[in-house]
Amino acid sequence: EVRQQVVELEGVVDPQAIEDYKKFAGMTDADFREQLGFCTGFLVDVNVVLTASHCLLGSMVIDLSNTFKLRTAGGKKHDVIRVLGFDVKRDFLFLETEGMESYGYLKFAKSYKVGQKVFTVGNVHGEGIAIRDGIMSSETPDIDDPNVQFIRYNAGTSPGNSGGPLIDEDGDIVALVFASTG
């Protein structure tokens, strides 16, 4: 039920770069993927997408990427109009888009607790959305800011899940996924 509100962040292929690789590195069309998924986002209001700030700003806030689209479950692509706000320390970023009024949006859970069932919804390895289940195992304060709580869970998380939602059984947002452990 939440899939419609989750988007894949997809890089836009630079045709000139591909031609240069083919010319100078001997690569062929078969060496390139048609789609370059890299992160996840989800609608939290009408035409407002929440994702992890490191997906677009990088870990050092030096490589802002603006060559991407928001890809929906049906394959439709949407442009980002502007960045509404972000917090590098807490790793979140709000984007404004348009044309997604009919998609609805996810709501934040009123409460959550350790031991409850949760689900990750994310663009696993940039190859499409996967939904994986687990339980919330703990809440841990950030050592640099005790006002920030990290939620630990055992639902599968892979590169590309960054920026996706951690949801409860009702489909409500418990947290933003921003990191995984090896």
Side-chain angles (χ1 to χ4, degrees), residues 82-153:
R82 65 187 171 131
V83 172
L84 295 173
F86 64 92
D87 185 322
V88 174
K89 183 177 180 183
R90 294 183 177 158
D91 202 4
F92 67 81
L93 180 130
F94 289 94
L95 302 168
E96 181 181 7
T97 187
E98 59 187 354
M100 297 188 74
E101 296 84 0
S102 66
Y103 289 79
Y105 54 89
L106 299 176
K107 294 179 174 57
F108 287 90
K110 292 184 185 350
S111 64
Y112 55 84
K113 63 182 187 227
V114 171
Q116 80 178 63
K117 190 167 193 166
V118 292
F119 303 84
T120 57
V121 184
N123 188 8
V124 177
H125 296 287
E127 297 177 356
I129 299 294
I131 300 172
R132 298 182 265 179
D133 67 327
I135 60 163
M136 183 186 307
S137 56
S138 71
E139 254 189 314
T140 308
D142 181 338
I143 59 171
D144 296 322
D145 184 350
N147 295 316
V148 175
Q149 294 288 317
F150 294 117
I151 294 174
R152 300 192 191 280
Y153 54 88

Side-chain angles (χ1 to χ4, degrees), residues 12-172:
V12 175
V13 176
D14 179 353
Q16 184 58 52
I18 290 175
E19 288 307 312
D20 288 346
Y21 278 113
K22 288 164 49 177
K23 179 178 178 182
F24 299 115
M27 299 175 93
T28 67
D29 287 335
D31 293 315
F32 300 96
R33 291 171 49 185
E34 195 172 306
Q35 297 174 5
L36 303 169
F38 62 93
C39 268
T40 307
F42 54 101
L43 288 156
V44 293
D45 204 341
V46 176
N47 290 321
V48 177
V49 172
L50 175 59
T51 189
S53 65
H54 77 263
C55 290
L56 300 176
L57 302 175
S59 60
M60 300 301 293
V61 193
I62 56 173
D63 61 347
L64 178 63
S65 171
N66 62 1
T67 55
F68 71 98
K69 301 276 187 183
L70 303 174
R71 185 173 188 266
T72 66
K76 189 171 181 185
K77 296 180 184 180
H78 297 265
D79 291 320
V80 170
I81 296 171
R82 65 187 171 131
V83 172
L84 295 173
F86 64 92
D87 185 322
V88 174
K89 183 177 180 183
R90 294 183 177 158
D91 202 4
F92 67 81
L93 180 130
F94 289 94
L95 302 168
E96 181 181 7
T97 187
E98 59 187 354
M100 297 188 74
E101 296 84 0
S102 66
Y103 289 79
Y105 54 89
L106 299 176
K107 294 179 174 57
F108 287 90
K110 292 184 185 350
S111 64
Y112 55 84
K113 63 182 187 227
V114 171
Q116 80 178 63
K117 190 167 193 166
V118 292
F119 303 84
T120 57
V121 184
N123 188 8
V124 177
H125 296 287
E127 297 177 356
I129 299 294
I131 300 172
R132 298 182 265 179
D133 67 327
I135 60 163
M136 183 186 307
S137 56
S138 71
E139 254 189 314
T140 308
D142 181 338
I143 59 171
D144 296 322
D145 184 350
N147 295 316
V148 175
Q149 294 288 317
F150 294 117
I151 294 174
R152 300 192 191 280
Y153 54 88
N154 68 355
T157 305
S158 304
N161 270 97
S162 289
L166 180 70
I167 59 172
D168 63 18
E169 290 183 290
D170 295 323
D172 293 333

